[in-house]
């Protein structure tokens, strides 16, 4: 999915081609979301998967990893607002960009084991509203993430593209956490 | 000038996902779940609809009866019988939906198929099977509990139609004929008692 993009043009492109490029990147993200959803819906969930040690159960491992990603997502939205000047900070520290990039990388890497377990062991499910929304958010999150990474790596796209897609990524992650991580803690007890 | 950082991030995520996925695939066949996985699964089963493993091996021969969950269409009765590693099942709402299933019961896991795309999967936990069943283009969660005769699954064929009956432990009977007509009253003396190895999908 990362090799499908043509090399960036050095010359500034016309608005219509910019929009076309943006739409193409969005299409790649939508494709990723749909493929994840189809895989989750069509394969037979195994009901079990390899687990991460150190937690009382696989369920809590997932809940805590998602919670870690959620906290880092709050860092993400805060640093993004600072970088875009929406939160005024006197003498904006030069490391804000680095903090934004690395908190984002760690956040998304934390979600990967959770997502693999969800997709492999449980699949795309629709039986309850919570589970349906969680499945949808999961697909949207990775699709939007792919689009955002691709948008970041291209110059000359409309300025609103990055905040909007970043907002989608953030919203999906918050939705994921509310529909599963927080749900585990509130219904089954708050523990490691 | 191209910004390589995001692409590297993308690749890192894809590689990590793929590696974890392959670890799962290679560990999957026949490997018993680690203890913590089973514990997590049990916690999930009690409070959510996610089908997860906490399997009890099946007895040599047993019947389970229960109901599907959910609102549409109104709940249907389900009966599952197991004999050795074979299983038969019938789902019936007594009005319009009825499907027969045959398949396997191994290591506490049910894998049954009915006509068309209809299928039934379930996991035994103690005396209770929980799982999912599809019939008539819809999928339901279900719960079925160990039942003693005369509760169980019954069947009669004749005149080109098949009739199925599910008798619950409280005596309630749900039945339907394969042509959609209401089932006659169940006579457990004349109807065939369906066991796990009875071929019921035709």
């Amino acid at each position: 999915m990362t090799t499908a993009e043509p090399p960036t043009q050095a010359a500034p492109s016309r608005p219509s081609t910019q929009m076309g490029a943006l739409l193409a990147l969005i299409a790649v993200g939508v494709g990723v979301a749909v493929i994840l959803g189809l895989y989750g819906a069509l394969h037979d969930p195994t009901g079990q998967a390899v687990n991460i040690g150190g937690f009382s159960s696989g369920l809590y491992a997932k809940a805590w990893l998602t919670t870690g990603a959620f906290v880092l997502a709050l860092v993400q939205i805060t640093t993004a607002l600072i970088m875009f000047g929406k939160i005024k900070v006197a003498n904006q520290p030069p490391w804000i960009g680095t903090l934004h990039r690395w908190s984002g990388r760690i956040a998304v890497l934390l979600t990967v084991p959770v997502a693999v377990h969800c997709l492999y062991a449980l699949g795309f499910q629709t039986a309850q509203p919570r589970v349906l929304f969680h499945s949808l958010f999961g697909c949207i999150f990775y699709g939007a993430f792919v689009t955002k990474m691709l948008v970041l790596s291209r110059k000359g796209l409309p300025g609103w593209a990055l905040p909007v897609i970043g907002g989608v990524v953030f919203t999906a992650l918050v939705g994921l956490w509310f529909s599963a991580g927080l749900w585990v803690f509130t219904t089954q007890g708050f523990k490691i | 000038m191209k910004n390589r950082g995001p692409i590297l991030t993308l690749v890192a995520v894809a590689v990590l996902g793929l590696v974890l996925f392959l670890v799962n695939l290679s560990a999957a066949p026949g490997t018993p779940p680690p203890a913590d996985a089973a514990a997590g699964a049990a916690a999930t089963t009690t409070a959510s609809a996610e089908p997860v493993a906490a399997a009890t091996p099946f007895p040599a021969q047993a019947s389970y009866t229960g109901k599907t969950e959910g609102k549409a269409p109104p709940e249907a009765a389900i009966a599952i019988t197991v004999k050795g590693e074979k299983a038969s099942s019938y789902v019936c709402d007594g009005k319009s939906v009825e499907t027969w299933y045959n398949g396997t019961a191994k290591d506490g896991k049910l894998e049954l198929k009915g006509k068309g795309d209809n299928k039934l999967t379930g996991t035994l936990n103690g005396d209770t099977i929980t799982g999912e069943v599809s019939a008539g283009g819809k999928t339901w969660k279900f719960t079925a509990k160990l039942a003693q005769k005369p509760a169980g699954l019954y069947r009669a064929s004749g005149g080109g139609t098949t009739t199925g009956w599910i008798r619950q432990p409280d005596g309630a009977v749900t039945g339907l004929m394969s042509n959609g007509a209401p089932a006659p009253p169940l006579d457990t003396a004349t109807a065939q008692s369906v066991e796990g190895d009875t071929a019921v999908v035709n």
Side-chain angles (χ1 to χ4, degrees), chain B residues 82-172:
Chain B
V82 173
K83 189 172 183 180
E85 291 196 336
K86 293 187 169 177
S88 307
S89 178
Y90 183 54
V91 170
C92 176
D93 70 351
K95 297 181 202 73
S96 58
V97 176
E98 57 119 49
T99 306
W100 293 92
Y101 309 81
N102 270 137
T104 58
K106 275 185 199 164
D107 306 325
K109 298 262 190 190
L110 288 170
E111 292 270 3
L112 282 74
K113 287 198 182 304
K115 265 191 183 171
D117 291 335
N118 293 324
K119 62 178 184 174
L120 182 154
T121 55
T123 304
L124 180 64
N125 192 343
D127 286 337
T128 305
I129 300 173
T130 53
E132 275 195 350
V133 59
S134 58
K138 302 206 168 155
T139 301
W140 298 278
K141 309 268 171 205
F142 71 83
T143 306
K145 291 188 182 302
L146 187 65
Q148 305 299 336
K149 290 220 162 111
L153 178 54
Y154 297 88
R155 176 182 166 99
S157 296
T161 64
T162 303
T163 308
W165 295 273
I166 294 163
R167 186 184 161 117
Q168 307 281 353
D170 64 3

Side-chain angles (χ1 to χ4, degrees), chain A residues 92-100:
Chain A
Q92 192 181 111
W95 43 261
I96 281 286
T98 310
L99 176 61
H100 183 79

Side-chain angles (χ1 to χ4, degrees), chain A residues 113-134:
Chain A
V114 182
V116 169
H117 185 280
C118 284
L119 272 173
Y120 184 80
L122 306 174
F124 189 102
Q125 294 190 27
T126 58
Q128 304 167 327
R130 176 188 76 80
V131 175
L132 170 63
F133 279 110
H134 187 77

Side-chain angles (χ1 to χ4, degrees), chain B residues 26-53:
Chain B
S26 61
T31 313
D36 59 347
T44 314
T45 319
T46 52
S48 86
E50 295 163 345
V52 264

Side-chain angles (χ1 to χ4, degrees), chain A residues 49-69 109-115 117-118 177 180-181 184-185 188-189 191-192, chain B residues 36-37 39-41 43-44:
Chain A
V50 172
N51 241 303
I52 309 150
F55 294 93
S56 58
S57 72
L59 193 63
Y60 275 89
K62 292 173 77 176
W64 278 107
L65 286 173
T66 319
T67 302
L109 288 172
L110 285 180
T111 66
V112 171
V114 182
H117 185 280
C118 284
W177 183 71
V184 166
F185 291 134
Q188 303 187 21
K191 60 180 182 181
I192 300 285
Chain B
D36 59 347
T44 314

Side-chain angles (χ1 to χ4, degrees), chain A residues 1-2 5-8 39 44-59 105 108-110 112-113 116-117 120-122 125 127-128 130-131 142 145-146 148-150 152-155 183 187-188, chain B residues 1-14 16-18 20-21 23-28 31-34 36-41 43-44 46-53 109 111 113 119 121 132 141:
Chain A
M1 54 192 155
T2 60
E5 294 313 306
T8 314
Y39 169 74
D44 283 329
T46 58
Q48 63 188 56
V50 172
N51 241 303
I52 309 150
F55 294 93
S56 58
S57 72
L59 193 63
R105 277 183 189 133
V108 76
L109 288 172
L110 285 180
V112 171
V116 169
H117 185 280
Y120 184 80
L122 306 174
Q125 294 190 27
Q128 304 167 327
R130 176 188 76 80
V131 175
Y142 283 102
F145 164 72
V146 168
K148 180 163 188 257
M149 291 301 109
L150 294 176
L152 276 172
S153 65
R154 272 186 87 103
K155 305 272 180 198
W183 175 84
T187 59
Q188 303 187 21
Chain B
M1 205 189 95
K2 204 159 175 172
N3 184 355
R4 298 253 168 227
I7 298 295
L8 289 177
T9 306
L10 207 49
V11 171
V13 167
L16 177 61
L18 204 62
L20 288 174
F21 187 75
V23 167
N24 270 316
L25 276 188
S26 61
T31 313
D36 59 347
T44 314
T46 52
S48 86
E50 295 163 345
V52 264
K109 298 262 190 190
E111 292 270 3
K113 287 198 182 304
K119 62 178 184 174
T121 55
E132 275 195 350
K141 309 268 171 205

Side-chain angles (χ1 to χ4, degrees), chain A residues 131-169:
Chain A
V131 175
L132 170 63
F133 279 110
H134 187 77
S135 300
L136 285 172
F137 280 134
C139 296
I140 291 168
F141 174 73
Y142 283 102
F145 164 72
V146 168
T147 297
K148 180 163 188 257
M149 291 301 109
L150 294 176
V151 166
L152 276 172
S153 65
R154 272 186 87 103
K155 305 272 180 198
L157 294 170
W160 50 264
L162 208 48
V164 167
I165 293 166
V168 173
V169 176

